[in-house]
Amino acid sequence: MTLEGVFPDLLAPLPSIAAVEAELARTLRRLVAHARAVAGALGFTPPGDAPVVVTAGRGRLPAELDAWLQASVRTPVGRLALARVTPPGWTRGRAVALKTPLVASGRRVGALLLLGPLLTRGVLAADVPRALGEALDRVWRLHRRALRTAVLDELTRLLVSTDALDDVFHAFAEAVAKLVAFDSIAVSLVDVERDEFEIVDVVARSVPLRVPRDDRMPLAGTLFAELVARGAPLRVDDVREGRVPEVSRRVFAERGYRAVALVPLLSARGVFGAVTLASARAGAFDDEDVEIVGELGRPLASAIELRRLLAEGHRRQDELAALYATSQLISARLEMPWVLDRISQAVSELIGSSGCGIGLLDPEGAHIGHVAAHGVGSEAWRTLSIPVGEGIMGRAAQSGTAIRIDDVRTDPRSARRDVDEREGIRSMLCVPLKDAGEVIGVISAFATRPGAFTAHHQRVLEAFGEQAGIAIHNARLFEESVRRARETRALLEAGRAVTASLEVDRTIRVILEEARGVLGVDSCGLATLEPGTGEFVTVASLDLPPAMVKDIRIRVGEGIGGLAVRERRPVQSRDLYNDPRARYPELARATGFRSMLAAPLRVGDRVIGLISVFRRDVHAFSDSDEELLLALADQAAIALEHARLYAELESMVAERTRELDAQKRFVEVVLETLPLGVFVLDAELGVVRANREGVRVLGCEPGARASFAALFGPGTAGTVEAFVRDAFATRRDAALEVEVALAGETKIFRLTRAPVEPTEASAPHAVVLVEDVTRAKRLERQMLLTERLTTAGRLAAGVAHELNNPLATIAGCAESLRERLTERELTNTSELTDFPHYLGLIEEEAFRCKEITGTLLQFVRDPGSQRAPTDLNALVLRTTELLSHQSRFAEGRFATELDPALPPLAVNEGQLRQVFIALASNALEAMEGRGRLTVRSRLHRGEVEVEFEDEGPGVPDEILSRIFDPFFTTKPPGQGTGLGLAIAQGIVTDHGGRIEVTSRPGKGSLFRVVLPA
């Protein structure tokens, strides 16, 4: 008989223990039928679980037989055995009982019992007991694995469900019970803050439960502490072992437990709790049990942590909402009793305390007493007052830090234990109330159970205490403000009078009236210091007649007012009639004023007056009265000082205004008369201000905010703009020279920039100086040209000097040859007929060249400053002769109309020759070297005139007035310096003469040199 033939589907997973029993019964029936037995029993003992026993027969078994079969199969047997028996309920005579053990992995897992009349050993194959045992063991393990998976799925579902934590605990206990045999299971959570653990759920199955649920126990010296330290499961087969901590051994032994297993509950924070299994049987748990509980504990830990986080989030949200609502509520009104009552109620609502008391320090800060309470039953707690530094509340006030007590019964700091016992107080949380960092009181929250408050409750109450301290401070300020309302109103009116008007008499009267109204006095007066006498003279009074007022004079230290001045503080007299310090006792009796209060009018270290108030009864003025009168006196002093300062300021302003006006006019005159253009530019390079010279030089419109760079034309504007913008960027001075074409004339300007540092009241600016350096630059160029011409002249003089010698030789040789031709023997030679003529020409031309070089030497020779009688006609001829040999004037024609009767003039021949050459050269250049130049001389009205008339285009009328200006020229660049006529004008003027110009456009010009005869 094979196993597969008897129960082929035995290895299929079974969903429950009931299914296991049903499958075993079905298998047993097949075995009974196959072995031709009458009845049988099959027993299976799962690891760590109760045995499973089933019976079966061909028909319904009698109850006695069924019981005998179940009992017999439970009896251990070492090997297969046959025995003849007569069991109860058996009616067929003696029967044969075949019994064999079932083995799996060398371990007995059950037994098989068959009962019949003819059974033998051969009815079962030799391997059936082992195969059946192993099959049953595999079936059981598959069943356990399926059950673990189902249980784990159920717990995982609870993780994301909305079930309460208690429901999760119960489901966990039921799930473990399906897989592990135990007598008690507990879930405990660690309280790190108090070094305790709290048992939050306990289930006892077979041993009476003696541990109250939600109990707290110290963590130190327990198996739980070892579990937290190890972070791994802990199994104890017998708590009586010596390695078990004494505390844990005693606790488990008192409850009848022998074996325990602890499995940690883990989160990202580490071990936060544990699952504890307990059994009254030693060695009840094995590694598989611990593994199962650990596997099921993971979703439980996640569920606990998730719900803890959700609860924490909701609690904090609720606390913040309550904190905000409470702070709004306690600040809604400012009456002190209402504020204190709301604070005491809010504490209980905020942290769930049983009651609360609000204690405030007395003015001396020596005692703290309850001024409000909530949730208390005895009057002793409501009126509790203890010295600072004593008791829990007093120590919190002294240290300024919160104190949290888990159990006041065991804390020695409790000062009034009788009051605590009467109220049933077990735990307490005291938080100081502070105002601007100073302790003003204590909030004392209490609960009737120990350990009710956590660090979180402390933080919440501390945050609330800050707002409560502000609320109490505000309520105190409100009470103070009510008391000072009238005083403030009086000071306000006095201050308004001081600032609203400079009429000192009206201001003083307003101050006196306010003083009388707010202090409730009958009269007020004010005296000021008279500089000449050093006495204080009454200048204003609300009630005394002027005739009486003018005679009231006091000195420093005399009377009540004099003492106030000397001591610089308020001084009073309760009874002027009987006060020896009174200066005018008869005046007091005459007016009926009986009491007096005087205060000095102070300005810095000086006292400039005093204010006095009077009553018609004997009266002691309070400190607040003195403070108020001193404040009004300060207002009066300010009014008097303002009046004095205003008068002085008015005079100073007038004087300073005159000085500033004078300085402004002076600066404007200096700027306007500067020979430089001055431009003030803004950051956008717009012209903010320009002086007269600047307007003239650049031709900008006065007052127009034009662009500075645009004034220089498109060719130069970019360079100028970059130059000025660099001043704003680098904040450095610099200079730049630019050449600009303005109104058809080329000018050279030197620009000097200087940035102006910005101030809080002004934007950045820059100052640019514009200097016309055209003349200087042209003089510089002329000096360079003159230097070059001087060098060229010296070179020409040297060349002319060197040419004179060979020319003299040529002329001498020609003359000698011509004389030899006059000799007789050569006179008649026909071949030499033309030689005298040619030799004469050579001699003539040589002398003409020598004359030219001589003229050149005479021209370049320094004329010096000597003046001598000179023939102007000869000077004119030499000038024309010199110019006629220049190739550029070769096509020109010279005509002279010279007066032979012209007298010699005392002139510098060289300078005048320079004038004639300049005028003649300009005329020939104007005709491009091809026209006729006529030079005339004559004596007219006692003056010698020399005229140079050309046939050129003439001088246009618009530039005729400028032709003698230095550097003015109409020639192309590089062909003229513009200095010729200017120098000529200067030479003629130096000789006491003048140059006159007449021009007709298109017909020519006439330059006339007029010199005194």
Side-chain angles (χ1 to χ4, degrees), residues 213 377 388 407 502 896:
R213 189 164 183 255
V388 172
D407 194 345
L502 290 172
T896 55

Side-chain angles (χ1 to χ4, degrees), residues 154-173:
E154 178 63 20
L155 288 179
T156 304
R157 184 192 64 78
L158 289 175
L159 174 64
V160 297
S161 70
T162 58
D163 294 354
L165 195 58
D166 282 347
D167 296 334
V168 175
F169 287 151
H170 294 155
F172 174 75

Side-chain angles (χ1 to χ4, degrees), residues 927-945:
M927 296 182 296
E928 298 180 354
R930 291 191 291 272
R932 184 178 68 176
L933 172 64
T934 303
V935 184
R936 303 183 186 90
S937 65
R938 64 173 174 270
L939 183 64
H940 181 67
R941 296 180 180 179
E943 294 178 326
V944 175
E945 298 179 352

Side-chain angles (χ1 to χ4, degrees), residues 947-961:
E947 296 179 347
F948 296 83
E949 183 177 6
D950 62 62
E951 297 176 345
V955 182
D957 293 339
E958 60 270 15
I959 65 172
L960 188 61
S961 61

Side-chain angles (χ1 to χ4, degrees), residues 173-223:
E174 292 176 359
V176 174
K178 293 177 181 179
L179 298 171
V180 180
F182 59 85
D183 293 323
S184 175
I185 184 170
V187 177
S188 305
L189 300 180
V190 179
D191 187 343
V192 179
E193 183 180 340
R194 295 186 174 88
D195 197 27
E196 296 177 345
F197 64 92
E198 181 182 10
I199 303 172
V200 297
D201 193 82
V202 176
V203 176
R205 303 177 70 186
S206 60
V207 179
L209 184 63
R210 299 186 182 92
V211 180
R213 189 164 183 255
D214 296 336
D215 191 19
R216 304 181 70 88
M217 297 179 64
L219 184 63
T222 63
L223 285 173

